[in-house]
Amino acid sequence: MIGHLKAFRWMKSHLTATLLCALVLALGIARATDLLTPAKEIALIIGEPWKDMQARSSAKIADDIPNEIWYRMPKELAYLRFADRRYGFVTPPAKFFTVSFDENAKIRSARMSPQTEPLPLDEALKVVLDLQEQWRRGGWVLADAEGYPPYADTAWWREQILACVGIWSPFPWGVIAATNKLANPGSTAAVWWLKSLQSICWSNLAS
């Protein structure tokens, strides 16, 4: 009886180890697939028909819901191309990425964290500065330059960013860019946060 009990315990312990190994392997394969699969594009303009965005984008995203205000997420890893002719910009691929629609099936907003994993401050700042430069070239202007100045890769800014540790932010990923007000192209607002592994800060711009 004791021998059978020992054998059962041995099998149970090895079964758990096997299941853990299988789980780790599955997660590794999924992660490798994400890294090796090229990101698709979601190309949109705030206020345009949902179907126009679907037709322009290479990433698949579900249909809108008639007479509802809701959102959808791309069905595959995707980046955002804000397709306005004057104010357009392109983000890195985003693991967190939602596009919302209004009751008239028009694009209402886009919310995203343009990265695929949490980033250290140096890498998060590179993403922020690239987006800022695209916005600057496209004619975006700061909504409140005194209260929320643009980020810069300086010793003073790094000190300010690191001092932001503990400030609440609603997303688990690092850099966040969002067009989150219903507006016509040319008057779209963008609100975004800088959240790295070391800190959370936020700023905003508006065209």
Side-chain angles (χ1 to χ4, degrees), residues 119-140:
L119 297 176
L121 179 57
D122 285 350
E123 295 180 38
L125 195 54
K126 287 179 182 178
V127 176
V128 166
L129 296 179
D130 175 70
L131 287 171
Q132 281 191 163
E133 179 58 21
Q134 290 188 65
W135 289 330
R136 185 193 64 80
R137 292 197 306 265
W140 294 71

Side-chain angles (χ1 to χ4, degrees), residues 11-61:
M11 292 175 63
K12 183 178 180 181
S13 64
H14 282 71
L15 177 61
T16 301
T18 301
L19 290 175
L20 286 175
C21 289
L23 177 60
V24 171
L25 179 61
L27 291 174
I29 292 173
R31 174 64 178 157
T33 301
D34 284 345
L35 292 175
L36 295 175
T37 303
K40 299 295 183 67
E41 179 180 87
I42 290 290
L44 59 79
I45 299 172
I46 302 298
E48 72 172 344
W50 185 263
K51 291 188 180 300
D52 288 1
M53 179 268 294
Q54 288 179 305
R56 188 188 302 112
S57 301
S58 59
K60 295 179 180 178
I61 189 167

Side-chain angles (χ1 to χ4, degrees), residues 136-195:
R136 185 193 64 80
R137 292 197 306 265
W140 294 71
V141 296
L142 288 167
D144 182 1
E146 183 176 350
Y148 302 104
Y151 289 108
D153 190 0
T154 64
W156 181 87
W157 252 118
R158 285 175 174 270
E159 180 180 343
Q160 301 304 308
I161 293 169
L162 291 173
C164 287
V165 173
I167 294 178
W168 178 83
S169 180
F171 303 105
W173 300 91
V175 185
I176 293 154
T179 52
N180 66 352
K181 293 183 180 180
L182 179 60
N184 295 319
S187 59
T188 302
V191 179
W192 55 285
W193 292 260
L194 168 56
K195 178 180 179 181

